[in-house]
Amino acid sequence: MNVTKMRILLAFCVLLCSSLILSQHLEADQDILIPEDWTRVGRIDPTEKLELTFALRQQNVDQLEHLLLLVSDPGSAQYGKHLTLEEVAALVRPSQLTQKVVRHWLQSHGVTDCQTILTQDFLQCTMNTQVAEALLPGIEFHRYVRDGIFLVRSSSAYQVHEDVLQHLDFVGGVHRFPPKGQGLNEVLTKRRRSGAKFHLGNTPATLRSRYNLTAADVGSAQNNSQAVAQFLEQFYHPADLAEFMTLFGRSFQHLSKIDRVVGVQGAGKAGLEASLDVEYIMSTGANISTWVFTNPGRHETQEPFLQWMMLLSNMTDIPWVHTISYGDDEDSLSSAYMMRINTEFMKAGVRGISILFASGDSGAGCRHLTKENSFRPSFPASSPYVTTVGGTSFKNPFKVTYEVTDYISGGGFSNVFKMPDYQVSAVEGYLKAVSGLPPKTYFNTSGRAYPDIAALSDNYWVVTDRVPVPWVSGTSASTPVVGGILSLINDQRFLKGLPSLGFLNPRLYQLQGQGLFDVTDGCHLSCLDEQVQGQGFCAAPSWDPVTGWGTPNYPALLAALVLEK
């Protein structure tokens, strides 16, 4: 008998035969809180089917991070030498022991209906509620509802035997409640109440004018593509996209159809968020093949965001730029979950994929604590392995002119992730140069700082359900605009035989604002208390935690990112 088989048998002898060994919590660092907007409606029938996702412990994560930074740094000899999915899988695939221990554990409870992905680091298993509750002692599944959407979750902690614990990062589909999203309708209401009356309104023509895109700046490379991801029953209507391009796309060559939908489109009314994402990535990154990753949210036990991450690790051919308008408060998630999601971002970046996230629409945020408040960072915006996009407004709402901060633009400092080396100099420069910073008790000066870049984020025109709708605002708008511009830059790189941009941040911080319009005027919102009185951070020359390095000046940014060696 070989050593590996002996280790597996020993592990299971202990696991199955020794009930005296205590189990341990897999996510012990996280209290299980039910968001106030979710209402519990009843216990789940023991025979009802559930789908749980098991994140198996990966190998060589440190090596993955090292490779990501090498292929993303123009100063490295490995710059642009991205890995294939098969090479990523060979690097991080869980050990044979891990795979066998987890599968035997599941099978010992009668769980056999499991699917894996190419990288073999996730197992998605279907079982009935009674089996799930025996598999994970301590949990009790109930059905919850919010805004007509039902979800099956447990409000109590679960335990995993210590011999299995070392082989798992987390179990998905048990505790995590999806966030409400960036709240476009709420932002719209706030805009109206804030006294804003008339506005030029942002359309593709406005954006292309501000960011110096000409009619000739459209895609032409055959191997280029871009994508948006939609969650929580958000979906677009093809008729809305066609109508939008008829109204606003006449001055430049464009596509009026999505090339590929990954997932299942829902039925009924189109989502405002989904319409916004699709219409503006396709009008900025014009004439470029566009995909939509969609999850209709019909399966109550799925985590849509996790489903999307797993898709990326199971597809060899995917778009080069992905933009996502989705986020949670950092403090609502376990560190184990966020660390694993970071690894998934690294897996994408080392393949040459650029992932952009909206920075959020709550400024610095506010966490109300017993003794004193603190700012509230958002994840994945705070991940060191994505490019985070903030928001701006026109100084003069009736003229295409210079930009100031949008007061809702999310930004700040992570309480979980340390500041990555690529941004230390820029962030320390901001902290030293700016007077009147918020008290240091409100934010973590050594944390990953965001956003990295920005674009206009207020008063967009969107076509939804065949009707043009004004006043749509949020970093959900700025993110696909930046994504489209990066897709255009990828297009020119491909035509010159260069690799995709991939993980942009190391190069972006090396540029130190080159190719971008610096935004130096305005602040964003935060805690409404005596200490900070509703004000978070303020814009400043160079990088700042409201607008990052600024907004794109396409010809200059193109030159900086295409002429590099």
Side-chain angles (χ1 to χ4, degrees), residues 426-448:
V427 178
E428 288 183 348
Y430 173 83
L431 294 174
K432 290 176 182 177
V434 174
S435 60
L437 286 170
K440 291 185 177 180
T441 55
Y442 277 73
F443 67 103
N444 174 24
T445 57
S446 62
R448 170 3 182 184

Side-chain angles (χ1 to χ4, degrees), residues 153 171-174 176 295 301-308 337:
R153 289 291 184 269
V171 180
V174 178
R176 193 165 166 272
N295 187 304
T301 61
Q302 284 182 349
E303 293 187 36
F305 180 71
L306 194 55
Q307 293 290 114
W308 171 72
Y337 178 87

Side-chain angles (χ1 to χ4, degrees), residues 290-506:
T290 303
W291 297 20
V292 171
F293 287 77
T294 183
N295 187 304
R298 303 295 183 192
H299 197 313
E300 295 177 341
T301 61
Q302 284 182 349
E303 293 187 36
F305 180 71
L306 194 55
Q307 293 290 114
W308 171 72
M309 293 300 308
M310 291 171 62
L311 280 171
L312 296 189
S313 285
N314 207 35
M315 301 176 70
T316 56
D317 180 23
I318 55 175
W320 298 108
V321 173
H322 294 249
T323 75
I324 304 96
S325 303
Y326 183 92
D328 275 308
D329 296 323
E330 262 190 1
D331 57 82
S332 73
L333 301 169
S334 73
S335 295
Y337 178 87
M338 290 186 284
M339 292 296 185
R340 176 54 185 265
I341 295 300
N342 274 346
T343 303
E344 300 307 306
F345 293 146
M346 287 192 275
K347 285 163 59 180
V350 81
R351 295 170 61 191
I353 298 164
S354 302
I355 297 184
L356 281 66
F357 272 89
S359 68
D361 298 332
S362 301
C366 186
R367 189 179 187 191
H368 301 283
L369 303 173
T370 304
K371 293 184 178 180
E372 59 184 9
N373 296 330
S374 66
F375 294 159
R376 196 172 203 176
S378 174
F379 181 84
S382 64
S383 168
Y385 308 105
V386 303
T387 299
T388 305
V389 184
T392 62
S393 304
F394 280 127
K395 175 70 172 179
N396 182 343
F398 305 105
K399 186 178 180 181
V400 178
T401 180
Y402 73 92
E403 296 159 73
V404 297
T405 62
D406 187 343
Y407 71 94
I408 65 170
S409 178
F413 296 77
S414 173
N415 289 321
V416 178
F417 311 114
K418 70 176 185 178
M419 190 180 299
D421 291 343
Y422 62 73
Q423 68 169 185
V424 168
S425 177
V427 178
E428 288 183 348
Y430 173 83
L431 294 174
K432 290 176 182 177
V434 174
S435 60
L437 286 170
K440 291 185 177 180
T441 55
Y442 277 73
F443 67 103
N444 174 24
T445 57
S446 62
R448 170 3 182 184
Y450 69 97
D452 306 299
I453 195 169
L456 287 160
S457 57
D458 72 327
N459 295 300
Y460 277 58
W461 282 91
V462 176
V463 173
T464 185
D465 294 314
R466 302 294 297 274
V467 177
V469 177
W471 298 88
V472 179
S473 301
T475 53
S476 299
S478 55
T479 306
V481 169
V482 173
I485 288 174
L486 294 183
S487 290
L488 289 176
I489 294 173
N490 266 342
D491 208 82
Q492 292 300 307
R493 290 178 63 87
F494 295 154
L495 291 174
K496 294 180 182 296
L498 297 171
S500 62
L501 289 168
F503 178 45
L504 183 64
N505 289 11

Side-chain angles (χ1 to χ4, degrees), residues 99-170:
Q99 294 184 56
K100 289 188 176 181
V101 166
V102 174
R103 283 188 178 274
H104 278 297
W105 170 61
L106 293 169
Q107 290 167 3
S108 71
H109 287 80
V111 179
T112 57
D113 184 5
C114 296
Q115 305 294 323
T116 189
I117 59 176
L118 195 148
T119 50
Q120 298 179 4
D121 45 7
F122 284 105
L123 281 175
Q124 200 159 53
C125 302
T126 301
M127 66 202 77
N128 65 37
T129 303
Q130 184 175 14
V131 169
E133 292 180 348
L135 182 71
L136 303 170
I139 61 171
E140 286 188 359
F141 283 103
H142 293 81
R143 181 168 280 106
Y144 294 82
V145 64
R146 181 187 71 188
D147 299 334
I149 298 175
F150 288 89
L151 195 66
V152 173
R153 289 291 184 269
S154 171
S155 61
S156 53
Y158 64 85
Q159 295 179 321
V160 174
H161 195 281
E162 62 183 2
D163 293 299
V164 178
L165 183 70
Q166 61 185 306
H167 299 287
L168 287 175
D169 286 331
F170 66 85

